[in-house]
Amino acid sequence: MGVIAGLVAALAWTFASSLWRGLSTSLTALELNGLKNAIACALLLPVLLFLPWADESQALLWLLISGGLGISLGDSFYLAALRRLGTRRTLTLEALAPLLAALGGLVVMGESIQGQAWVGAAMVSLSVLLVARQSPPDSTRDRDRSRSVQWQGIVLALLAVLCGVSGAAVSRSVLISTDLTAWQSAATRLLGGLLLLLPWLRIRTLFPKPRPNHRRWPRVLLATLLGTNFGIVLQQVVLKQLPLGIGITVLSTAPVMALLVAAPEGDHPRAAGVCASLLAVSGVALAVLA
């Protein structure tokens, strides 16, 4: 069930990322992240109202911290990278997470990872290098500008990975030591992400005016339901049932799934880009079979 949940979560994140990428808005990455977290918390309000604060106050506090790390900071860096790199390349860079998660699970949580899983994680990480080496457009002026934007996106994506894995590690340590459900864990993490973003939110963020003849709310709601609510609940199922390194590896199948949305975004991957995505998923398969 953990593997299936991870694959479905990766698919949900892929389509949600494409929706966010195509959203026409003047909101910054921080504001956009705050908006989606506010909507997600509103949708999970029944769960938030009945959290067991009396019995699990320390665990819930750690989940709030986990949400601040992985959702508030991690998703803000991710959305900023998404605007610079596109869905496919950003998700491929996110595939560096399995290696960091495997190291974190081994060092911090004492989890045992077999050699085959390490090879899989290394293959996923190698796909990141292939993406980073992809050359920008042909024009010299465009090339210089594009290279600068690309490296900004790479740095932001790596920061997103670091924050995301740290938040996931905290979340897993809570899930395996308490009886909290995936819904309770997801709702608490989203609340933690929202609380840290509140200083950056303004009225115009919560109620942005749509452009003429262009309604954005259906896209925002669908992206939030897919990536933030549905995706994070499934992520908690994965973190509860699988070791950190293996769980994050399964969740990192998004690069190949991102090939489904590459063409509609105007992203036409070269051979190296396709190889990077296939390499990432091959590494995931090795890790899962281990």
Side-chain angles (χ1 to χ4, degrees), residues 4 21 34-35 43 67-69 82 86 109 130 134 149 155 175-176 189 212-213 263 269 273 281 289:
I4 294 173
R21 161 76 172 169
L35 175 62
L43 293 171
L69 277 171
L82 199 61
M109 305 176 69
L130 289 175
Q134 289 180 24
V149 171
V155 171
L175 285 166
I176 61 177
R189 293 192 71 210
N213 300 322
V281 169
L289 291 174

Side-chain angles (χ1 to χ4, degrees), residues 14-242:
T14 298
F15 284 109
S17 296
S18 182
L19 289 169
W20 288 121
R21 161 76 172 169
L23 183 66
S24 177
T25 178
S26 60
L27 298 180
T28 66
L30 281 171
E31 291 172 336
L32 195 57
N33 193 14
L35 175 62
K36 76 177 182 62
N37 284 340
I39 296 172
C41 284
L43 293 171
L44 289 174
L45 188 59
V47 180
L48 289 171
L49 289 175
F50 295 99
L51 288 174
W53 286 101
D55 300 325
E56 301 285 1
S57 57
Q58 186 175 0
L60 291 172
L61 180 60
W62 278 110
L63 285 174
L64 289 174
I65 294 172
S66 167
L69 277 171
I71 296 176
S72 179
L73 296 177
D75 283 5
S76 294
F77 287 134
Y78 176 78
L79 288 169
L82 199 61
R83 289 177 171 178
R84 291 164 173 80
L85 296 176
T87 303
R88 179 181 57 83
R89 289 194 292 167
T90 303
L91 287 175
T92 304
L93 283 168
E94 288 277 305
L96 183 63
L99 186 57
L100 294 178
L103 287 171
L106 179 66
V107 174
V108 179
M109 305 176 69
E111 295 179 340
S112 176
I113 303 294
Q114 296 184 20
Q116 185 175 331
W118 281 105
V119 173
M123 290 172 65
V124 172
S125 301
L126 180 60
S127 69
V128 172
L129 298 179
L130 289 175
V131 172
R133 289 176 59 87
Q134 289 180 24
S135 58
D138 298 331
S139 152
T140 303
R141 186 173 180 179
D142 287 345
R143 189 187 304 122
D144 293 339
R145 184 185 299 112
S146 182
R147 184 178 289 115
S148 174
V149 171
Q150 176 170 290
W151 280 108
Q152 289 175 21
I154 290 172
V155 171
L156 289 165
L158 294 179
L159 288 172
V161 169
L162 185 60
C163 292
V165 170
S166 301
V170 174
S171 180
R172 172 161 168 76
S173 67
V174 172
L175 285 166
I176 61 177
S177 60
T178 68
D179 293 326
L180 291 172
T181 67
W183 286 97
Q184 291 171 326
S185 172
T188 308
R189 293 192 71 210
L190 286 167
L191 179 61
L194 176 61
L195 291 176
L196 192 59
L197 288 168
L198 282 179
W200 285 273
L201 295 184
R202 297 188 293 270
I203 295 297
R204 81 175 186 92
T205 305
L206 297 177
F207 301 100
K209 295 180 180 179
R211 294 183 177 184
N213 300 322
H214 184 71
R215 294 189 175 276
R216 294 174 289 182
W217 278 111
R219 181 185 289 263
V220 169
L221 288 173
L222 182 57
T224 301
L225 280 170
L226 276 177
T228 309
N229 289 94
F230 191 52
I232 290 181
V233 169
L234 290 174
Q235 180 199 50
Q236 301 311 294
V237 174
V238 173
L239 294 176
K240 192 173 184 70
Q241 298 198 7
L242 298 176

Side-chain angles (χ1 to χ4, degrees), residues 88-89 92 127 130-131 134 255-256 259 262 267-282:
R88 179 181 57 83
R89 289 194 292 167
T92 304
S127 69
L130 289 175
V131 172
Q134 289 180 24
V256 164
L259 292 173
D267 178 16
H268 303 288
R270 300 175 184 174
V274 175
C275 287
S277 296
L278 295 176
L279 187 63
V281 169
S282 299

Side-chain angles (χ1 to χ4, degrees), residues 236-260:
Q236 301 311 294
V237 174
V238 173
L239 294 176
K240 192 173 184 70
Q241 298 198 7
L242 298 176
L244 184 63
I246 303 300
I248 296 296
T249 301
V250 176
L251 290 167
S252 298
T253 50
V256 164
M257 297 178 185
L259 292 173
L260 299 172

